[in-house]
């Protein structure tokens, strides 16, 4: 994905992988957080990939392949649906919306080609067409204000996501105030306990470990790839791991890196998935740990003392 033109805005500092190509911040990440929480400003998410599915069978087809109930999806209603492996592991997360003629979704940077390839293999004789339109469309998160005219909007409880023609991105940055970078966006995501594929997941993550049953999975729909694992763990309980929110010791200068070990009494019980500095909470993190780890246990996250806040019950 090419570098965003919004990196030319005053104060912009480029982010690193997995968010390379957009801004980490524009000079004051804590102030940027506060503005986003107040419903002001926008975040450049143009490094994320965008796919589009057209055709009269698109919703029933996606319904049969993914975790969410999509056959009755209303135009402009936001949805989050997952593509699972045959063993129930999370392979893709689609942040989607249908405009009445096409289903649009943004996914993690660089993941559209593999997703489109998979979906193309599953078309059979159905009336659908799938395309990676990342080169033509970009996503921008807006915390509030009036949405641009003539664009598709995916409204959520934490703001809205605009599918903007990429040729309009540079002008958008000039016309809208208060840009915020990925550091601010990620800090608010972590504080809200929202998992992100590729950070809160590894090759064996299942939906129950992340608490996605209520937001990304419909338990009363028909079969789809990975559904057997979802049903079995839901009925029997006891997923092997659980997502946890960590309050980190604020006296440490550095944040634990993604993948840093989470330890209890010298024994590794999990790993850090994301970490950030929050404008009110201080240093915070999400981690995947063994389900049976005591909920009141004090942990070390990448060597940093940490206390738990429950996200997924043990």
């Amino acid at each position: 994905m090419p570098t965003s033109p919004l990196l030319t805005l005053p104060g912009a500092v480029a982010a690193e992988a997995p968010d390379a190509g957009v801004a980490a911040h524009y000079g004051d990440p804590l102030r940027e957080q506060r503005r986003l929480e107040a419903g002001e400003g926008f975040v450049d998410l143009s490094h994320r990939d965008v796919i589009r599915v057209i055709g009269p069978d698109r919703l029933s087809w996606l319904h049969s392949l993914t975790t969410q109930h999509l056959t009755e999806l209303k135009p402009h209603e936001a949805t989050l649906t997952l593509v699972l492996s045959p063993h129930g592991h999370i392979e893709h997360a689609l942040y989607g919306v249908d405009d009445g003629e096409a289903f649009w979704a943004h996914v993690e940077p660089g993941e559209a080609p593999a997703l489109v390839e998979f979906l193309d293999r599953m078309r059979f004789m159905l009336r659908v067409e799938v395309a990676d339109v990342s080169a033509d469309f970009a996503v921008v998160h807006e915390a509030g204000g009036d949405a641009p005219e003539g664009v598709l909007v995916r409204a959520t409880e934490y703001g809205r996501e605009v599918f903007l023609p990429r040729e309009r991105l540079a002008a958008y940055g000039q016309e809208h105030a208060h840009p915020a970078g990925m550091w601010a966006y990620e800090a608010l995501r972590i504080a809200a306990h929202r998992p992100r594929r590729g950070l809160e997941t590894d090759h064996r993550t299942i939906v129950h470990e992340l608490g996605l049953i209520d937001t990304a999975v419909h338990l009363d729909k028909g079969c789809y790839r990975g559904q057997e694992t979802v049903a079995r763990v839901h009925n029997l309980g006891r997923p092997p791991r659980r997502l946890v929110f960590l309050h980190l010791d604020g006296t440490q200068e550095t944040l634990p890196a993604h993948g840093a070990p989470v330890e209890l009494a010298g024994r590794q019980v999990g790993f850090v998935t994301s970490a950030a500095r929050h404008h009110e909470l201080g240093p915070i993190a999400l981690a995947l740990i063994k389900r049976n780890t005591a909920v009141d246990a004090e942990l070390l996250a990448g060597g940093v003392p940490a206390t738990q806040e429950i996200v997924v019950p043990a």
Side-chain angles (χ1 to χ4, degrees):
M1 186 60 63
T3 298
S4 171
L6 302 192
L7 279 173
T8 63
L9 293 178
V13 175
E16 298 179 351
D19 297 317
V22 297
H25 62 85
Y26 294 88
D28 193 343
L30 296 183
R31 186 182 185 189
E32 293 164 24
Q33 283 184 47
R34 290 191 288 268
R35 279 180 167 162
L36 290 176
E37 277 199 333
E40 300 176 353
F42 66 92
V43 182
D44 180 8
L45 300 180
S46 63
H47 62 310
R48 293 183 63 82
D49 283 1
V50 179
I51 71 160
R52 182 181 62 202
V53 184
I54 62 174
D57 297 329
R58 66 189 182 281
L59 292 180
S60 59
W61 177 64
L62 289 168
H63 176 93
S64 71
L65 294 174
T66 70
T67 58
Q68 194 59 273
H69 197 296
L70 298 176
T71 55
E72 305 301 324
L73 185 68
K74 297 179 177 61
H76 307 290
E77 179 182 350
T79 188
L80 168 60
T81 191
L82 309 174
V83 173
L84 306 181
S85 76
H87 299 292
H89 303 135
I90 299 171
E91 292 190 341
H92 296 283
L94 285 70
Y95 297 81
V97 62
D98 194 270
D99 64 6
E101 297 181 352
F103 180 87
W104 300 72
H106 63 86
V107 298
E108 289 296 323
E111 292 194 353
L115 175 59
V116 169
E117 180 182 6
F118 164 72
L119 293 174
D120 262 335
R121 293 202 310 267
M122 307 303 292
R123 283 192 305 149
F124 304 114
M125 300 297 291
L126 295 174
R127 296 168 297 171
V128 293
E129 293 182 22
V130 188
D132 176 359
V133 294
S134 308
D136 299 316
F137 290 89
V139 177
V140 176
H141 169 83
E142 295 183 332
D146 296 327
E149 295 183 358
V151 297
L152 179 63
V153 173
R154 179 181 182 270
T156 71
E157 70 278 6
Y158 51 89
R160 61 173 173 256
E161 293 151 2
V162 176
F163 290 79
L164 190 71
R166 193 168 287 274
E167 62 187 15
R168 291 176 56 182
L169 187 58
Y172 178 97
Q174 298 297 326
E175 296 164 357
H176 290 74
H178 309 314
M182 290 303 299
W183 283 9
Y185 183 82
E186 285 290 280
L188 298 182
R189 176 187 69 80
I190 294 167
H193 307 167
R194 296 198 308 269
R196 179 177 171 185
R197 208 211 80 81
L199 292 179
E200 275 63 59
T201 66
D202 59 16
H203 67 284
R204 58 192 180 95
T205 304
I206 59 176
V207 295
H208 312 75
E209 296 177 329
L210 302 184
L212 289 172
I213 284 292
D214 294 332
T215 57
V217 178
H218 195 284
L219 292 170
D220 297 323
K221 58 175 283 188
C223 292
Y224 54 89
R225 193 167 77 155
Q227 186 261 351
E228 182 178 347
T229 297
V230 173
R232 182 175 66 251
V233 177
H234 179 72
N235 292 327
L236 300 179
R238 301 179 180 273
R241 301 177 298 182
R242 60 185 174 90
L243 186 68
V244 64
F245 178 77
L246 299 179
H247 293 272
L248 302 174
D249 182 356
T251 65
Q252 306 294 315
E253 294 184 1
T254 60
L255 294 169
H258 171 73
V262 175
E263 298 172 301
L264 173 60
R267 178 174 58 92
Q268 183 169 349
V269 295
F271 66 95
V272 174
T273 59
S274 300
R277 296 190 187 278
H278 191 272
H279 69 99
E280 288 184 339
L281 301 174
I284 57 176
L286 292 172
L288 264 182
I289 64 173
K290 292 182 178 179
R291 178 187 54 80
N292 58 3
T293 304
V295 297
D296 59 351
E298 293 194 4
L299 307 171
L300 284 178
V304 179
T307 57
Q308 302 177 55
E309 187 174 307
I310 295 173
V311 176
V312 176

